[in-house]
């Protein structure tokens, strides 16, 4: 069974500690998956609950948000978010993108990297300054 709902966590997000967003996962988790839930998850091991939307939509540009979903292409270095957005728009398989800037708060493996997605399965909030995500068709 898929747990949690994204499928490429290890390959898409190669850091060894939790991602930098703060609203998810809860900060009191010490293992992943947690040995016991402290809050109810929004999904089950069998799939989304009926209250969870089946289709998430992005925006042209969002600050402080990480888009998570099926990988369209392997992540690559990008000079800036504008370059990342252009790559996604030109790609036949990319619908969503997330760009991690260079900065001390960003894990070294993610700095100046562009992640392109075929689908949007989760939207994570982050306090890491400069993280941008977008959906080219909304621009």
């Amino acid at each position: 069974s898929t747990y949690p709902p994204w499928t490429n966590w290890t390959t898409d997000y190669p850091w060894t500690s939790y991602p930098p967003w703060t609203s998810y996962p809860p900060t009191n988790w010490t293992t992943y998956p947690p040995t016991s839930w402290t809050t109810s998850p929004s999904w089950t091991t069998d799939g989304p609950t009926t209250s969870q939307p089946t289709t998430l939509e992005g925006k042209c540009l969002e600050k402080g948000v990480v888009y998570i979903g099926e990988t369209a292409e392997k992540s690559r270095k990008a000079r800036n978010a504008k370059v990342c957005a252009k790559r996604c728009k030109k790609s036949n398989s990319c619908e969503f993108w997330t760009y991690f800037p260079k900065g001390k708060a960003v894990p070294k493996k993610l700095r100046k990297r562009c992640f392109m997605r075929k689908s949007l399965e989760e939207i994570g909030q982050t306090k890491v300054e400069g993280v941008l995500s977008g959906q080219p068709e909304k621009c």
Side-chain angles (χ1 to χ4, degrees), residues 12-13 15 18-22 24 59-68 78-82 84-85 96-117 120 122-135:
D12 290 348
Y13 300 97
W15 54 68
Y18 285 118
W21 56 77
T22 56
Y24 184 82
K59 295 181 181 175
C60 175
L61 182 66
E62 288 191 86
K63 294 179 182 180
V65 169
V66 176
Y67 287 170
I68 301 166
R79 190 171 66 244
N80 54 44
K82 189 174 183 178
C84 184
F96 308 91
W97 58 270
T98 294
Y99 176 77
F100 287 87
K102 183 177 180 181
K104 289 182 181 179
V106 179
K108 285 184 181 181
K109 291 180 181 180
L110 296 179
R111 291 178 186 167
K112 299 185 88 171
R113 294 209 68 90
C114 177
F115 291 85
M116 297 194 296
R117 305 282 177 226
L120 183 58
E122 191 87 21
I123 298 174
Q125 300 293 318
T126 181
K127 288 186 177 181
V128 175
E129 192 174 325
V131 174
L132 298 170
S133 294
Q135 183 177 2

Side-chain angles (χ1 to χ4, degrees), residues 11-87:
T11 56
D12 290 348
Y13 300 97
W15 54 68
T16 56
S17 60
Y18 285 118
W21 56 77
T22 56
S23 64
Y24 184 82
T27 55
N28 59 351
W29 287 2
T30 56
T31 60
Y32 188 82
T35 53
S36 63
W37 290 97
T38 56
T39 59
S40 296
S42 61
W43 66 85
T44 66
T45 55
D46 296 328
T49 62
T50 54
S51 62
Q52 184 178 13
T54 55
T55 304
L56 292 174
E57 289 194 23
K59 295 181 181 175
C60 175
L61 182 66
E62 288 191 86
K63 294 179 182 180
V65 169
V66 176
Y67 287 170
I68 301 166
E70 185 180 354
T71 301
E73 296 178 19
K74 186 177 179 178
S75 72
R76 297 185 343 197
K77 289 265 189 184
R79 190 171 66 244
N80 54 44
K82 189 174 183 178
V83 170
C84 184
K86 283 183 180 180
R87 280 185 193 160

